[in-house]
Amino acid sequence: MNGPPIFLILNHLTDEYARYADYLDDATARLWLITTNAEGMPGFRPQDYYRVDVVPALTWPAVQAVLATDRAATAAVQQVVAVSEYDLELGAVVREQLGVKGYSVEYVRRFRDKAYSKALVAAGGVRVPDWLAVDAATSAESLEERWQYPIVVKPVSGAASAGVTVCHSRPELAAKLRRLAPGQQWEAETFIGGALYHCDGYVEDGAVRFLSPSRYLGSCTAFNEGRPLGAVSVQHTAEAPILADGAARSVRALGLENGVFHLEAFIDRGEFVFLEIGHRPGGGEILPLVHRHAGVDLMSAAVRLSCELPALPAGQSPRTPAGSYGWLMCSAVGRQGRLVRGITARGELPPGVRIAHAAFPGQRVPADPEYDFTGMSAHIYAGTAAEAEATIQRLIEVVEIRYD
């Protein structure tokens, strides 16, 4: 086929971060979109794409069938874009099937397979929790002989802490092991009691060019049990250099040369401990906050780096805000099917709070709310990390969300 090369985009996102044409407007390429719902993409313009194909689900057979309808265009594909956590493996398969460069199946496994990630990072000299593979035949007694409680059991590949359980006793651990879903790989690991952090940034030409380190308030597993989850950025604290050094050593051990990452780690008695990493932007309120306060659109960077373009368009550069930015999400897990009755504040909201989202009265909580539906989400900015944390704690105290 004559003409510019084609970038093949695999998409199931229906939010504002599916703006591929905007992210790639300086690329000399045609965009071919295979998506589950084109009309659900905000700002979608058919004229931005060489071709748009809608499929019921993003699978290799579905993509293969679409590609077979235009072999000349398929031969012109030079890049494959698949930036969602749940599409990374498909993107790698498509690249290998088409023989185009980019993230391979083995490379993607380094980030999707938590056990493989820890093995590579540990081999690079970075501390990780002790772990081993488990299945329904694994006994609680055998794990007790190895570690003290709490003991963590979780899927080898997953996201948003789905399926993760922190077990505090033999009955709890034995029950979790009996319930392990067949056909899915599982692991157990030691529990690290230090503070948990998330580090969001990107690597370009083998070096970390931008990093936003934040400390969690609460935990993702607690959020999945219905409790609030938040975080505050710590770029001006003593934790920042520990996180920056640990993140750089971790991504180097994983061979990340160009791409966006969302890394979770502990600081245990002053030492960085790698937990897990995603080769994609962080979820929740991370993207809009980092964009607003640091000037970096991590979704745009993920798309551009996967196409071998500079992470930031010409004229853009990261910035470091003087204070601390943070976020809070009020979980609706456990209230599935109930109606939101109302949201009120028992007193004045603390300064530096911006309500990003609030469920409206009469809205029904979906069957699987997790991070896609929250009672309320807020953005916070304060002079220091300690002040931002105090603001979040105060916000949790004054906001009341009622369900029928």
PDB file of all heavy atoms in Angstrom, residues 241-271:
ATOM      1  N   PRO A 241      14.185  10.624  47.547  1.00  0.00           N
ATOM      2  CA  PRO A 241      15.379  10.033  46.939  1.00  0.00           C
ATOM      3  C   PRO A 241      15.447   8.520  47.071  1.00  0.00           C
ATOM      4  O   PRO A 241      15.992   7.842  46.197  1.00  0.00           O
ATOM      5  CB  PRO A 241      16.537  10.727  47.684  1.00  0.00           C
ATOM      6  CG  PRO A 241      15.949  11.280  48.931  1.00  0.00           C
ATOM      7  CD  PRO A 241      14.534  11.609  48.598  1.00  0.00           C
ATOM      8  N   ILE A 242      14.885   7.970  48.150  1.00  0.00           N
ATOM      9  CA  ILE A 242      14.849   6.512  48.303  1.00  0.00           C
ATOM     10  C   ILE A 242      13.983   5.904  47.210  1.00  0.00           C
ATOM     11  O   ILE A 242      14.352   4.905  46.567  1.00  0.00           O
ATOM     12  CB  ILE A 242      14.304   6.133  49.697  1.00  0.00           C
ATOM     13  CG1 ILE A 242      15.215   6.689  50.795  1.00  0.00           C
ATOM     14  CG2 ILE A 242      14.156   4.615  49.834  1.00  0.00           C
ATOM     15  CD1 ILE A 242      14.650   6.511  52.195  1.00  0.00           C
ATOM     16  N   LEU A 243      12.829   6.521  46.957  1.00  0.00           N
ATOM     17  CA  LEU A 243      11.917   6.024  45.936  1.00  0.00           C
ATOM     18  C   LEU A 243      12.492   6.203  44.539  1.00  0.00           C
ATOM     19  O   LEU A 243      12.372   5.312  43.684  1.00  0.00           O
ATOM     20  CB  LEU A 243      10.568   6.733  46.056  1.00  0.00           C
ATOM     21  CG  LEU A 243       9.794   6.448  47.348  1.00  0.00           C
ATOM     22  CD1 LEU A 243       8.631   7.414  47.495  1.00  0.00           C
ATOM     23  CD2 LEU A 243       9.286   5.009  47.367  1.00  0.00           C
ATOM     24  N   ALA A 244      13.129   7.345  44.294  1.00  0.00           N
ATOM     25  CA  ALA A 244      13.698   7.602  42.970  1.00  0.00           C
ATOM     26  C   ALA A 244      14.796   6.597  42.650  1.00  0.00           C
ATOM     27  O   ALA A 244      14.860   6.047  41.541  1.00  0.00           O
ATOM     28  CB  ALA A 244      14.230   9.026  42.893  1.00  0.00           C
ATOM     29  N   ASP A 245      15.662   6.329  43.619  1.00  0.00           N
ATOM     30  CA  ASP A 245      16.747   5.370  43.398  1.00  0.00           C
ATOM     31  C   ASP A 245      16.195   3.958  43.210  1.00  0.00           C
ATOM     32  O   ASP A 245      16.612   3.229  42.294  1.00  0.00           O
ATOM     33  CB  ASP A 245      17.715   5.406  44.581  1.00  0.00           C
ATOM     34  CG  ASP A 245      18.806   4.348  44.468  1.00  0.00           C
ATOM     35  OD1 ASP A 245      19.691   4.476  43.595  1.00  0.00           O
ATOM     36  OD2 ASP A 245      18.766   3.369  45.241  1.00  0.00           O
ATOM     37  N   GLY A 246      15.248   3.563  44.055  1.00  0.00           N
ATOM     38  CA  GLY A 246      14.683   2.222  43.948  1.00  0.00           C
ATOM     39  C   GLY A 246      13.917   2.013  42.655  1.00  0.00           C
ATOM     40  O   GLY A 246      14.015   0.959  42.020  1.00  0.00           O
ATOM     41  N   ALA A 247      13.159   3.033  42.242  1.00  0.00           N
ATOM     42  CA  ALA A 247      12.413   2.922  40.990  1.00  0.00           C
ATOM     43  C   ALA A 247      13.358   2.818  39.803  1.00  0.00           C
ATOM     44  O   ALA A 247      13.133   2.009  38.890  1.00  0.00           O
ATOM     45  CB  ALA A 247      11.483   4.124  40.821  1.00  0.00           C
ATOM     46  N   ALA A 248      14.413   3.612  39.797  1.00  0.00           N
ATOM     47  CA  ALA A 248      15.374   3.567  38.693  1.00  0.00           C
ATOM     48  C   ALA A 248      16.049   2.206  38.607  1.00  0.00           C
ATOM     49  O   ALA A 248      16.218   1.640  37.514  1.00  0.00           O
ATOM     50  CB  ALA A 248      16.418   4.671  38.862  1.00  0.00           C
ATOM     51  N   ARG A 249      16.431   1.639  39.748  1.00  0.00           N
ATOM     52  CA  ARG A 249      17.073   0.322  39.740  1.00  0.00           C
ATOM     53  C   ARG A 249      16.091  -0.764  39.319  1.00  0.00           C
ATOM     54  O   ARG A 249      16.471  -1.725  38.632  1.00  0.00           O
ATOM     55  CB  ARG A 249      17.661   0.018  41.119  1.00  0.00           C
ATOM     56  CG  ARG A 249      18.863   0.893  41.469  1.00  0.00           C
ATOM     57  CD  ARG A 249      19.548   0.447  42.745  1.00  0.00           C
ATOM     58  NE  ARG A 249      18.708   0.649  43.913  1.00  0.00           N
ATOM     59  CZ  ARG A 249      18.444  -0.290  44.816  1.00  0.00           C
ATOM     60  NH1 ARG A 249      18.936  -1.514  44.665  1.00  0.00           N
ATOM     61  NH2 ARG A 249      17.683  -0.025  45.856  1.00  0.00           N
ATOM     62  N   SER A 250      14.825  -0.616  39.698  1.00  0.00           N
ATOM     63  CA  SER A 250      13.814  -1.621  39.348  1.00  0.00           C
ATOM     64  C   SER A 250      13.547  -1.638  37.850  1.00  0.00           C
ATOM     65  O   SER A 250      13.529  -2.711  37.220  1.00  0.00           O
ATOM     66  CB  SER A 250      12.516  -1.346  40.113  1.00  0.00           C
ATOM     67  OG  SER A 250      12.713  -1.453  41.514  1.00  0.00           O
ATOM     68  N   VAL A 251      13.307  -0.472  37.254  1.00  0.00           N
ATOM     69  CA  VAL A 251      12.999  -0.452  35.821  1.00  0.00           C
ATOM     70  C   VAL A 251      14.212  -0.861  35.000  1.00  0.00           C
ATOM     71  O   VAL A 251      14.081  -1.457  33.917  1.00  0.00           O
ATOM     72  CB  VAL A 251      12.454   0.920  35.374  1.00  0.00           C
ATOM     73  CG1 VAL A 251      11.152   1.234  36.094  1.00  0.00           C
ATOM     74  CG2 VAL A 251      13.460   2.034  35.579  1.00  0.00           C
ATOM     75  N   ARG A 252      15.418  -0.583  35.518  1.00  0.00           N
ATOM     76  CA  ARG A 252      16.630  -1.029  34.821  1.00  0.00           C
ATOM     77  C   ARG A 252      16.709  -2.553  34.829  1.00  0.00           C
ATOM     78  O   ARG A 252      17.037  -3.177  33.815  1.00  0.00           O
ATOM     79  CB  ARG A 252      17.863  -0.421  35.489  1.00  0.00           C
ATOM     80  CG  ARG A 252      19.159  -0.616  34.704  1.00  0.00           C
ATOM     81  CD  ARG A 252      20.346   0.008  35.439  1.00  0.00           C
ATOM     82  NE  ARG A 252      20.057   1.374  35.843  1.00  0.00           N
ATOM     83  CZ  ARG A 252      20.111   1.811  37.092  1.00  0.00           C
ATOM     84  NH1 ARG A 252      20.420   0.966  38.088  1.00  0.00           N
ATOM     85  NH2 ARG A 252      19.849   3.063  37.373  1.00  0.00           N
ATOM     86  N   ALA A 253      16.384  -3.152  35.969  1.00  0.00           N
ATOM     87  CA  ALA A 253      16.417  -4.616  36.064  1.00  0.00           C
ATOM     88  C   ALA A 253      15.385  -5.264  35.158  1.00  0.00           C
ATOM     89  O   ALA A 253      15.583  -6.382  34.671  1.00  0.00           O
ATOM     90  CB  ALA A 253      16.182  -5.039  37.515  1.00  0.00           C
ATOM     91  N   LEU A 254      14.280  -4.570  34.917  1.00  0.00           N
ATOM     92  CA  LEU A 254      13.212  -5.094  34.069  1.00  0.00           C
ATOM     93  C   LEU A 254      13.452  -4.811  32.591  1.00  0.00           C
ATOM     94  O   LEU A 254      12.681  -5.276  31.739  1.00  0.00           O
ATOM     95  CB  LEU A 254      11.873  -4.500  34.500  1.00  0.00           C
ATOM     96  CG  LEU A 254      11.356  -4.987  35.860  1.00  0.00           C
ATOM     97  CD1 LEU A 254      10.267  -4.056  36.384  1.00  0.00           C
ATOM     98  CD2 LEU A 254      10.828  -6.410  35.752  1.00  0.00           C
ATOM     99  N   GLY A 255      14.468  -4.027  32.281  1.00  0.00           N
ATOM    100  CA  GLY A 255      14.774  -3.736  30.887  1.00  0.00           C
ATOM    101  C   GLY A 255      13.834  -2.743  30.249  1.00  0.00           C
ATOM    102  O   GLY A 255      13.655  -2.748  29.024  1.00  0.00           O
ATOM    103  N   LEU A 256      13.233  -1.875  31.063  1.00  0.00           N
ATOM    104  CA  LEU A 256      12.318  -0.868  30.527  1.00  0.00           C
ATOM    105  C   LEU A 256      13.140   0.265  29.918  1.00  0.00           C
ATOM    106  O   LEU A 256      13.801   1.013  30.632  1.00  0.00           O
ATOM    107  CB  LEU A 256      11.397  -0.348  31.636  1.00  0.00           C
ATOM    108  CG  LEU A 256      10.059   0.258  31.227  1.00  0.00           C
ATOM    109  CD1 LEU A 256       9.178   0.478  32.453  1.00  0.00           C
ATOM    110  CD2 LEU A 256      10.199   1.554  30.477  1.00  0.00           C
ATOM    111  N   GLU A 257      13.085   0.398  28.596  1.00  0.00           N
ATOM    112  CA  GLU A 257      13.865   1.410  27.884  1.00  0.00           C
ATOM    113  C   GLU A 257      13.031   2.622  27.507  1.00  0.00           C
ATOM    114  O   GLU A 257      13.506   3.753  27.549  1.00  0.00           O
ATOM    115  CB  GLU A 257      14.481   0.806  26.617  1.00  0.00           C
ATOM    116  CG  GLU A 257      15.564  -0.217  26.876  1.00  0.00           C
ATOM    117  CD  GLU A 257      16.837   0.399  27.443  1.00  0.00           C
ATOM    118  OE1 GLU A 257      17.171   1.538  27.045  1.00  0.00           O
ATOM    119  OE2 GLU A 257      17.479  -0.245  28.292  1.00  0.00           O
ATOM    120  N   ASN A 258      11.781   2.385  27.113  1.00  0.00           N
ATOM    121  CA  ASN A 258      10.882   3.466  26.701  1.00  0.00           C
ATOM    122  C   ASN A 258       9.462   3.075  27.072  1.00  0.00           C
ATOM    123  O   ASN A 258       8.928   2.102  26.535  1.00  0.00           O
ATOM    124  CB  ASN A 258      10.970   3.714  25.188  1.00  0.00           C
ATOM    125  CG  ASN A 258      12.280   4.338  24.773  1.00  0.00           C
ATOM    126  OD1 ASN A 258      12.500   5.541  24.945  1.00  0.00           O
ATOM    127  ND2 ASN A 258      13.170   3.522  24.229  1.00  0.00           N
ATOM    128  N   GLY A 259       8.864   3.802  27.988  1.00  0.00           N
ATOM    129  CA  GLY A 259       7.495   3.481  28.365  1.00  0.00           C
ATOM    130  C   GLY A 259       7.105   4.110  29.691  1.00  0.00           C
ATOM    131  O   GLY A 259       7.951   4.595  30.451  1.00  0.00           O
ATOM    132  N   VAL A 260       5.809   4.076  29.953  1.00  0.00           N
ATOM    133  CA  VAL A 260       5.231   4.604  31.194  1.00  0.00           C
ATOM    134  C   VAL A 260       5.110   3.475  32.202  1.00  0.00           C
ATOM    135  O   VAL A 260       4.912   2.316  31.835  1.00  0.00           O
ATOM    136  CB  VAL A 260       3.860   5.238  30.891  1.00  0.00           C
ATOM    137  CG1 VAL A 260       3.069   5.498  32.167  1.00  0.00           C
ATOM    138  CG2 VAL A 260       4.033   6.532  30.114  1.00  0.00           C
ATOM    139  N   PHE A 261       5.237   3.800  33.479  1.00  0.00           N
ATOM    140  CA  PHE A 261       5.092   2.768  34.504  1.00  0.00           C
ATOM    141  C   PHE A 261       4.344   3.296  35.716  1.00  0.00           C
ATOM    142  O   PHE A 261       4.351   4.493  36.015  1.00  0.00           O
ATOM    143  CB  PHE A 261       6.463   2.224  34.942  1.00  0.00           C
ATOM    144  CG  PHE A 261       7.366   3.247  35.589  1.00  0.00           C
ATOM    145  CD1 PHE A 261       7.319   3.485  36.957  1.00  0.00           C
ATOM    146  CD2 PHE A 261       8.270   3.966  34.828  1.00  0.00           C
ATOM    147  CE1 PHE A 261       8.148   4.424  37.554  1.00  0.00           C
ATOM    148  CE2 PHE A 261       9.112   4.907  35.416  1.00  0.00           C
ATOM    149  CZ  PHE A 261       9.046   5.136  36.779  1.00  0.00           C
ATOM    150  N   HIS A 262       3.675   2.367  36.388  1.00  0.00           N
ATOM    151  CA  HIS A 262       3.026   2.601  37.684  1.00  0.00           C
ATOM    152  C   HIS A 262       3.599   1.543  38.616  1.00  0.00           C
ATOM    153  O   HIS A 262       3.270   0.362  38.503  1.00  0.00           O
ATOM    154  CB  HIS A 262       1.507   2.466  37.558  1.00  0.00           C
ATOM    155  CG  HIS A 262       0.779   2.499  38.865  1.00  0.00           C
ATOM    156  ND1 HIS A 262       0.621   3.647  39.612  1.00  0.00           N
ATOM    157  CD2 HIS A 262       0.155   1.512  39.570  1.00  0.00           C
ATOM    158  CE1 HIS A 262      -0.069   3.363  40.709  1.00  0.00           C
ATOM    159  NE2 HIS A 262      -0.353   2.072  40.711  1.00  0.00           N
ATOM    160  N   LEU A 263       4.476   1.961  39.504  1.00  0.00           N
ATOM    161  CA  LEU A 263       5.227   1.041  40.361  1.00  0.00           C
ATOM    162  C   LEU A 263       4.760   1.208  41.800  1.00  0.00           C
ATOM    163  O   LEU A 263       4.558   2.335  42.270  1.00  0.00           O
ATOM    164  CB  LEU A 263       6.720   1.329  40.226  1.00  0.00           C
ATOM    165  CG  LEU A 263       7.722   0.473  40.996  1.00  0.00           C
ATOM    166  CD1 LEU A 263       9.069   0.467  40.266  1.00  0.00           C
ATOM    167  CD2 LEU A 263       7.945   0.967  42.424  1.00  0.00           C
ATOM    168  N   GLU A 264       4.603   0.091  42.500  1.00  0.00           N
ATOM    169  CA  GLU A 264       4.257   0.143  43.921  1.00  0.00           C
ATOM    170  C   GLU A 264       5.400  -0.455  44.726  1.00  0.00           C
ATOM    171  O   GLU A 264       5.988  -1.478  44.333  1.00  0.00           O
ATOM    172  CB  GLU A 264       2.952  -0.601  44.185  1.00  0.00           C
ATOM    173  CG  GLU A 264       1.764   0.064  43.495  1.00  0.00           C
ATOM    174  CD  GLU A 264       0.423  -0.497  43.934  1.00  0.00           C
ATOM    175  OE1 GLU A 264       0.400  -1.569  44.562  1.00  0.00           O
ATOM    176  OE2 GLU A 264      -0.600   0.141  43.632  1.00  0.00           O
ATOM    177  N   ALA A 265       5.705   0.193  45.836  1.00  0.00           N
ATOM    178  CA  ALA A 265       6.853  -0.216  46.647  1.00  0.00           C
ATOM    179  C   ALA A 265       6.634   0.192  48.096  1.00  0.00           C
ATOM    180  O   ALA A 265       5.809   1.059  48.406  1.00  0.00           O
ATOM    181  CB  ALA A 265       8.137   0.423  46.119  1.00  0.00           C
ATOM    182  N   PHE A 266       7.367  -0.452  48.975  1.00  0.00           N
ATOM    183  CA  PHE A 266       7.394  -0.096  50.390  1.00  0.00           C
ATOM    184  C   PHE A 266       8.698   0.618  50.706  1.00  0.00           C
ATOM    185  O   PHE A 266       9.705   0.470  49.991  1.00  0.00           O
ATOM    186  CB  PHE A 266       7.322  -1.347  51.267  1.00  0.00           C
ATOM    187  CG  PHE A 266       6.063  -2.143  51.114  1.00  0.00           C
ATOM    188  CD1 PHE A 266       6.015  -3.246  50.266  1.00  0.00           C
ATOM    189  CD2 PHE A 266       4.916  -1.812  51.820  1.00  0.00           C
ATOM    190  CE1 PHE A 266       4.863  -3.998  50.127  1.00  0.00           C
ATOM    191  CE2 PHE A 266       3.750  -2.558  51.691  1.00  0.00           C
ATOM    192  CZ  PHE A 266       3.737  -3.647  50.840  1.00  0.00           C
ATOM    193  N   ILE A 267       8.687   1.372  51.778  1.00  0.00           N
ATOM    194  CA  ILE A 267       9.930   1.772  52.439  1.00  0.00           C
ATOM    195  C   ILE A 267       9.880   1.132  53.812  1.00  0.00           C
ATOM    196  O   ILE A 267       9.043   1.476  54.652  1.00  0.00           O
ATOM    197  CB  ILE A 267      10.083   3.298  52.532  1.00  0.00           C
ATOM    198  CG1 ILE A 267      10.225   3.896  51.129  1.00  0.00           C
ATOM    199  CG2 ILE A 267      11.295   3.651  53.394  1.00  0.00           C
ATOM    200  CD1 ILE A 267      10.443   5.405  51.117  1.00  0.00           C
ATOM    201  N   ASP A 268      10.734   0.149  54.008  1.00  0.00           N
ATOM    202  CA  ASP A 268      10.756  -0.630  55.243  1.00  0.00           C
ATOM    203  C   ASP A 268      12.048  -0.322  55.983  1.00  0.00           C
ATOM    204  O   ASP A 268      13.130  -0.697  55.544  1.00  0.00           O
ATOM    205  CB  ASP A 268      10.661  -2.124  54.915  1.00  0.00           C
ATOM    206  CG  ASP A 268      10.652  -2.997  56.152  1.00  0.00           C
ATOM    207  OD1 ASP A 268      10.070  -2.566  57.166  1.00  0.00           O
ATOM    208  OD2 ASP A 268      11.242  -4.094  56.099  1.00  0.00           O
ATOM    209  N   ARG A 269      11.928   0.397  57.090  1.00  0.00           N
ATOM    210  CA  ARG A 269      13.096   0.793  57.889  1.00  0.00           C
ATOM    211  C   ARG A 269      14.148   1.480  57.023  1.00  0.00           C
ATOM    212  O   ARG A 269      15.340   1.216  57.108  1.00  0.00           O
ATOM    213  CB  ARG A 269      13.687  -0.414  58.603  1.00  0.00           C
ATOM    214  CG  ARG A 269      12.773  -0.980  59.705  1.00  0.00           C
ATOM    215  CD  ARG A 269      13.205  -2.352  60.134  1.00  0.00           C
ATOM    216  NE  ARG A 269      13.005  -3.339  59.086  1.00  0.00           N
ATOM    217  CZ  ARG A 269      13.255  -4.649  59.231  1.00  0.00           C
ATOM    218  NH1 ARG A 269      13.708  -5.097  60.386  1.00  0.00           N
ATOM    219  NH2 ARG A 269      13.035  -5.472  58.232  1.00  0.00           N
ATOM    220  N   GLY A 270      13.661   2.379  56.161  1.00  0.00           N
ATOM    221  CA  GLY A 270      14.543   3.170  55.321  1.00  0.00           C
ATOM    222  C   GLY A 270      14.984   2.494  54.043  1.00  0.00           C
ATOM    223  O   GLY A 270      15.714   3.093  53.244  1.00  0.00           O
ATOM    224  N   GLU A 271      14.532   1.255  53.792  1.00  0.00           N
ATOM    225  CA  GLU A 271      14.965   0.520  52.606  1.00  0.00           C
ATOM    226  C   GLU A 271      13.816   0.379  51.609  1.00  0.00           C
ATOM    227  O   GLU A 271      12.689   0.049  51.977  1.00  0.00           O
ATOM    228  CB  GLU A 271      15.464  -0.874  52.991  1.00  0.00           C
ATOM    229  CG  GLU A 271      15.990  -1.676  51.815  1.00  0.00           C
ATOM    230  CD  GLU A 271      16.465  -3.066  52.220  1.00  0.00           C
ATOM    231  OE1 GLU A 271      16.207  -3.474  53.377  1.00  0.00           O
ATOM    232  OE2 GLU A 271      17.086  -3.739  51.385  1.00  0.00           O
TER     233      GLU A 271
END
